[in-house]
Amino acid sequence: MADQLLQQAQDIFEGQIDFEGQKLAELFSTIILTITALLALALGFYQQSIWVTLWVGLGGTAATFFVVVPPWPIYNENPEKWLRANSAMSGAGIEVDGKRIK
């Protein structure tokens, strides 16, 4: 029972994302932060208040954190197929100074 709970907690906090998920997370963060910065600048200029600009920017940063940091399943839709450890160098046929490396 405890092992199952530990395994579930490990799966949640491990943060498995693939390379396409990393690219998607970067795209999301760029878009959200750009929109937030433009919105914060416009609202702060309209109200002539630096506090409005800072709080809107802080809210956008928090929203970006919520969207990008957790390992949402959308970030792991294309997992990599890794080679087995014992077959990594077998039959590679590498030669150095005329000697074959196993």
Side-chain angles (χ1 to χ4, degrees):
M1 177 78 172
D3 290 335
Q4 291 174 344
L5 291 174
L6 182 62
Q7 183 65 32
Q8 289 175 350
Q10 185 179 10
D11 289 342
I12 290 171
F13 292 113
E14 195 170 68
Q16 295 278 333
I17 66 171
D18 56 27
F19 296 119
E20 293 297 321
Q22 290 177 1
K23 190 181 343 178
L24 187 63
E26 182 181 359
L27 179 67
F28 284 163
S29 65
T30 301
I31 290 172
I32 294 171
L33 288 174
T34 301
I35 291 172
T36 299
L38 294 173
L39 183 65
L41 182 65
L43 287 174
F45 183 76
Y46 177 72
Q47 294 186 359
Q48 293 294 301
S49 172
I50 191 70
W51 290 109
V52 171
T53 305
L54 293 175
W55 280 107
V56 171
L58 182 64
T61 303
T64 304
F65 180 85
F66 179 73
V67 169
V68 173
V69 172
W72 300 109
I74 192 173
Y75 297 138
N76 196 19
E77 291 181 348
N78 303 307
E80 292 292 324
K81 306 288 190 266
W82 297 96
L83 296 176
R84 284 184 245 149
N86 60 0
S87 68
M89 288 297 292
S90 63
I94 299 174
E95 289 187 20
V96 176
D97 294 330
K99 296 179 185 177
R100 187 177 175 104
I101 299 176
K102 295 181 184 179

